[in-house]
Amino acid sequence: MPSLTLAEKASLVLPEDYLVLKTFVELKDKYEYLTEEELKDRLDFTDAELRISLEKLRNLRAVSWDIIAGKRAYKITFTGLDILAIKMLYVNKILNRLGLIIGEGKESNVYYGYDFDNNTIIVKFHRVGNSSYKNARKLRGYREKRSWVSITLDNAKNEYIALKCLSENLAKVPKPLGYAYNAVAMEYIEGPSLLKAELNNPKEVLDSIIGSLRIAYLYCNKMVHGDLSPYNIIIGDNESPYIIDWPQWKQDDDNLLNRDINNIISFFSKKYNITEDLNYVMDFIKGKA
């Protein structure tokens, strides 16, 4: 069923199919693949019920299979994680229905969504793929064996934690609405990226960005964005700059903070001829100036 949207796929997943997908996540760091026998040992399904469910999930591309040690074995896919997240966000009364996809990135897909009052929200599905899996393990400091599923779920949780603290302390970020599995639901901010915006008051915008970075450091346990650029700052109403994409934040990392600051002040210097001293901005963010 390759032509179905993600929302349509999720609507076709019944409670028994949900249990199958959930089993893969529960065993994520122990087994990547599970045979029908291994699944049946953990689920109160008949052979026929399990095969029907697995065939449906395979057609929805929520699971894939391979031959391992002479037996057919299955594993969950990103679509399977997305479906689990959609179902849980619905149960938690955060997401009523999923809309169209907005963008696809290296480690996430972003969709419009609608809450139970029909307000537009954003749903971001984290996806640490094969190309980024090794880098993600290294960047996030994982020493023990952790599956791509675990790291993907951690990405979502980390971003939610960051947005929650930042929002509660009045930093300019989208307000988080909740998270489930690999998805984070958040406030929808309408506007262009800083890269594409034409600002009337660029100095005020720069000061606001620096202020949010100061809040992150001083009030959110020395949090550093770690990947800040004009691409992940959205200019909303009244030229308010909202910083997005927080899953890779680090704690008290001078090298990353220096890079974040340099990316932003260099942009404002080149486009708006506004000069800021990097060392002074660094000290200000750390509460030393």
PDB file of all heavy atoms in Angstrom, residues 19-33:
ATOM      1  N   LEU A  19      -0.238  -4.034  19.268  1.00  0.00           N
ATOM      2  CA  LEU A  19       0.483  -4.871  20.225  1.00  0.00           C
ATOM      3  C   LEU A  19       1.708  -5.510  19.584  1.00  0.00           C
ATOM      4  O   LEU A  19       2.759  -5.654  20.221  1.00  0.00           O
ATOM      5  CB  LEU A  19      -0.443  -5.952  20.783  1.00  0.00           C
ATOM      6  CG  LEU A  19      -1.529  -5.480  21.750  1.00  0.00           C
ATOM      7  CD1 LEU A  19      -2.444  -6.643  22.125  1.00  0.00           C
ATOM      8  CD2 LEU A  19      -0.909  -4.872  23.004  1.00  0.00           C
ATOM      9  N   VAL A  20       1.582  -5.899  18.317  1.00  0.00           N
ATOM     10  CA  VAL A  20       2.728  -6.485  17.615  1.00  0.00           C
ATOM     11  C   VAL A  20       3.838  -5.450  17.492  1.00  0.00           C
ATOM     12  O   VAL A  20       5.008  -5.720  17.812  1.00  0.00           O
ATOM     13  CB  VAL A  20       2.310  -7.000  16.226  1.00  0.00           C
ATOM     14  CG1 VAL A  20       3.544  -7.468  15.446  1.00  0.00           C
ATOM     15  CG2 VAL A  20       1.312  -8.151  16.352  1.00  0.00           C
ATOM     16  N   LEU A  21       3.490  -4.242  17.053  1.00  0.00           N
ATOM     17  CA  LEU A  21       4.493  -3.188  16.906  1.00  0.00           C
ATOM     18  C   LEU A  21       5.128  -2.829  18.249  1.00  0.00           C
ATOM     19  O   LEU A  21       6.343  -2.633  18.353  1.00  0.00           O
ATOM     20  CB  LEU A  21       3.855  -1.938  16.297  1.00  0.00           C
ATOM     21  CG  LEU A  21       3.409  -2.039  14.838  1.00  0.00           C
ATOM     22  CD1 LEU A  21       2.667  -0.766  14.422  1.00  0.00           C
ATOM     23  CD2 LEU A  21       4.588  -2.296  13.912  1.00  0.00           C
ATOM     24  N   LYS A  22       4.308  -2.769  19.281  1.00  0.00           N
ATOM     25  CA  LYS A  22       4.807  -2.420  20.616  1.00  0.00           C
ATOM     26  C   LYS A  22       5.812  -3.452  21.121  1.00  0.00           C
ATOM     27  O   LYS A  22       6.768  -3.115  21.826  1.00  0.00           O
ATOM     28  CB  LYS A  22       3.628  -2.303  21.575  1.00  0.00           C
ATOM     29  CG  LYS A  22       3.988  -1.750  22.939  1.00  0.00           C
ATOM     30  CD  LYS A  22       2.739  -1.623  23.808  1.00  0.00           C
ATOM     31  CE  LYS A  22       3.095  -1.150  25.207  1.00  0.00           C
ATOM     32  NZ  LYS A  22       1.900  -1.114  26.089  1.00  0.00           N
ATOM     33  N   THR A  23       5.623  -4.713  20.752  1.00  0.00           N
ATOM     34  CA  THR A  23       6.542  -5.774  21.182  1.00  0.00           C
ATOM     35  C   THR A  23       7.945  -5.547  20.643  1.00  0.00           C
ATOM     36  O   THR A  23       8.941  -5.763  21.337  1.00  0.00           O
ATOM     37  CB  THR A  23       6.019  -7.153  20.730  1.00  0.00           C
ATOM     38  OG1 THR A  23       4.721  -7.356  21.312  1.00  0.00           O
ATOM     39  CG2 THR A  23       6.939  -8.270  21.192  1.00  0.00           C
ATOM     40  N   PHE A  24       8.042  -5.093  19.393  1.00  0.00           N
ATOM     41  CA  PHE A  24       9.362  -4.801  18.824  1.00  0.00           C
ATOM     42  C   PHE A  24      10.066  -3.706  19.615  1.00  0.00           C
ATOM     43  O   PHE A  24      11.279  -3.781  19.856  1.00  0.00           O
ATOM     44  CB  PHE A  24       9.228  -4.366  17.358  1.00  0.00           C
ATOM     45  CG  PHE A  24       8.887  -5.472  16.406  1.00  0.00           C
ATOM     46  CD1 PHE A  24       7.597  -5.609  15.923  1.00  0.00           C
ATOM     47  CD2 PHE A  24       9.857  -6.371  15.992  1.00  0.00           C
ATOM     48  CE1 PHE A  24       7.272  -6.625  15.038  1.00  0.00           C
ATOM     49  CE2 PHE A  24       9.544  -7.395  15.102  1.00  0.00           C
ATOM     50  CZ  PHE A  24       8.249  -7.526  14.631  1.00  0.00           C
ATOM     51  N   VAL A  25       9.317  -2.693  20.031  1.00  0.00           N
ATOM     52  CA  VAL A  25       9.914  -1.591  20.781  1.00  0.00           C
ATOM     53  C   VAL A  25      10.332  -2.046  22.173  1.00  0.00           C
ATOM     54  O   VAL A  25      11.409  -1.673  22.675  1.00  0.00           O
ATOM     55  CB  VAL A  25       8.931  -0.403  20.865  1.00  0.00           C
ATOM     56  CG1 VAL A  25       9.489   0.698  21.759  1.00  0.00           C
ATOM     57  CG2 VAL A  25       8.647   0.141  19.481  1.00  0.00           C
ATOM     58  N   GLU A  26       9.513  -2.867  22.813  1.00  0.00           N
ATOM     59  CA  GLU A  26       9.837  -3.353  24.156  1.00  0.00           C
ATOM     60  C   GLU A  26      11.132  -4.161  24.166  1.00  0.00           C
ATOM     61  O   GLU A  26      11.851  -4.186  25.167  1.00  0.00           O
ATOM     62  CB  GLU A  26       8.684  -4.199  24.685  1.00  0.00           C
ATOM     63  CG  GLU A  26       7.445  -3.373  25.037  1.00  0.00           C
ATOM     64  CD  GLU A  26       6.238  -4.236  25.357  1.00  0.00           C
ATOM     65  OE1 GLU A  26       6.294  -5.454  25.076  1.00  0.00           O
ATOM     66  OE2 GLU A  26       5.250  -3.694  25.885  1.00  0.00           O
ATOM     67  N   LEU A  27      11.447  -4.811  23.052  1.00  0.00           N
ATOM     68  CA  LEU A  27      12.644  -5.653  22.971  1.00  0.00           C
ATOM     69  C   LEU A  27      13.739  -5.013  22.120  1.00  0.00           C
ATOM     70  O   LEU A  27      14.647  -5.694  21.648  1.00  0.00           O
ATOM     71  CB  LEU A  27      12.271  -7.024  22.391  1.00  0.00           C
ATOM     72  CG  LEU A  27      11.256  -7.833  23.216  1.00  0.00           C
ATOM     73  CD1 LEU A  27      10.799  -9.066  22.440  1.00  0.00           C
ATOM     74  CD2 LEU A  27      11.853  -8.239  24.551  1.00  0.00           C
ATOM     75  N   LYS A  28      13.680  -3.710  21.958  1.00  0.00           N
ATOM     76  CA  LYS A  28      14.515  -2.996  20.992  1.00  0.00           C
ATOM     77  C   LYS A  28      16.011  -3.164  21.194  1.00  0.00           C
ATOM     78  O   LYS A  28      16.774  -3.203  20.223  1.00  0.00           O
ATOM     79  CB  LYS A  28      14.160  -1.508  21.001  1.00  0.00           C
ATOM     80  CG  LYS A  28      14.336  -0.833  22.348  1.00  0.00           C
ATOM     81  CD  LYS A  28      13.769   0.577  22.320  1.00  0.00           C
ATOM     82  CE  LYS A  28      13.915   1.290  23.658  1.00  0.00           C
ATOM     83  NZ  LYS A  28      13.224   0.588  24.763  1.00  0.00           N
ATOM     84  N   ASP A  29      16.470  -3.228  22.444  1.00  0.00           N
ATOM     85  CA  ASP A  29      17.908  -3.339  22.689  1.00  0.00           C
ATOM     86  C   ASP A  29      18.384  -4.781  22.850  1.00  0.00           C
ATOM     87  O   ASP A  29      19.575  -5.032  23.022  1.00  0.00           O
ATOM     88  CB  ASP A  29      18.301  -2.525  23.921  1.00  0.00           C
ATOM     89  CG  ASP A  29      18.230  -1.028  23.666  1.00  0.00           C
ATOM     90  OD1 ASP A  29      18.596  -0.614  22.553  1.00  0.00           O
ATOM     91  OD2 ASP A  29      17.785  -0.291  24.561  1.00  0.00           O
ATOM     92  N   LYS A  30      17.435  -5.709  22.801  1.00  0.00           N
ATOM     93  CA  LYS A  30      17.785  -7.121  22.915  1.00  0.00           C
ATOM     94  C   LYS A  30      17.734  -7.823  21.567  1.00  0.00           C
ATOM     95  O   LYS A  30      18.612  -8.620  21.226  1.00  0.00           O
ATOM     96  CB  LYS A  30      16.843  -7.811  23.905  1.00  0.00           C
ATOM     97  CG  LYS A  30      17.295  -9.191  24.325  1.00  0.00           C
ATOM     98  CD  LYS A  30      16.431  -9.728  25.465  1.00  0.00           C
ATOM     99  CE  LYS A  30      16.936 -11.083  25.938  1.00  0.00           C
ATOM    100  NZ  LYS A  30      16.090 -11.630  27.026  1.00  0.00           N
ATOM    101  N   TYR A  31      16.697  -7.537  20.792  1.00  0.00           N
ATOM    102  CA  TYR A  31      16.532  -8.163  19.478  1.00  0.00           C
ATOM    103  C   TYR A  31      16.124  -7.113  18.458  1.00  0.00           C
ATOM    104  O   TYR A  31      15.199  -6.341  18.691  1.00  0.00           O
ATOM    105  CB  TYR A  31      15.436  -9.238  19.498  1.00  0.00           C
ATOM    106  CG  TYR A  31      15.630 -10.319  20.529  1.00  0.00           C
ATOM    107  CD1 TYR A  31      14.826 -10.353  21.662  1.00  0.00           C
ATOM    108  CD2 TYR A  31      16.595 -11.299  20.371  1.00  0.00           C
ATOM    109  CE1 TYR A  31      14.985 -11.343  22.618  1.00  0.00           C
ATOM    110  CE2 TYR A  31      16.766 -12.293  21.321  1.00  0.00           C
ATOM    111  CZ  TYR A  31      15.960 -12.307  22.439  1.00  0.00           C
ATOM    112  OH  TYR A  31      16.121 -13.285  23.388  1.00  0.00           O
ATOM    113  N   GLU A  32      16.805  -7.110  17.315  1.00  0.00           N
ATOM    114  CA  GLU A  32      16.348  -6.258  16.215  1.00  0.00           C
ATOM    115  C   GLU A  32      15.286  -6.977  15.402  1.00  0.00           C
ATOM    116  O   GLU A  32      14.310  -6.380  14.961  1.00  0.00           O
ATOM    117  CB  GLU A  32      17.509  -5.860  15.301  1.00  0.00           C
ATOM    118  CG  GLU A  32      17.083  -4.926  14.184  1.00  0.00           C
ATOM    119  CD  GLU A  32      18.232  -4.428  13.316  1.00  0.00           C
ATOM    120  OE1 GLU A  32      19.342  -4.975  13.450  1.00  0.00           O
ATOM    121  OE2 GLU A  32      18.002  -3.524  12.503  1.00  0.00           O
ATOM    122  N   TYR A  33      15.490  -8.293  15.215  1.00  0.00           N
ATOM    123  CA  TYR A  33      14.546  -9.124  14.466  1.00  0.00           C
ATOM    124  C   TYR A  33      13.877 -10.121  15.403  1.00  0.00           C
ATOM    125  O   TYR A  33      14.504 -10.621  16.352  1.00  0.00           O
ATOM    126  CB  TYR A  33      15.269  -9.895  13.368  1.00  0.00           C
ATOM    127  CG  TYR A  33      15.659  -9.071  12.169  1.00  0.00           C
ATOM    128  CD1 TYR A  33      16.872  -8.395  12.133  1.00  0.00           C
ATOM    129  CD2 TYR A  33      14.816  -8.976  11.061  1.00  0.00           C
ATOM    130  CE1 TYR A  33      17.239  -7.640  11.023  1.00  0.00           C
ATOM    131  CE2 TYR A  33      15.172  -8.237   9.947  1.00  0.00           C
ATOM    132  CZ  TYR A  33      16.388  -7.570   9.935  1.00  0.00           C
ATOM    133  OH  TYR A  33      16.742  -6.838   8.832  1.00  0.00           O
TER     134      TYR A  33
END
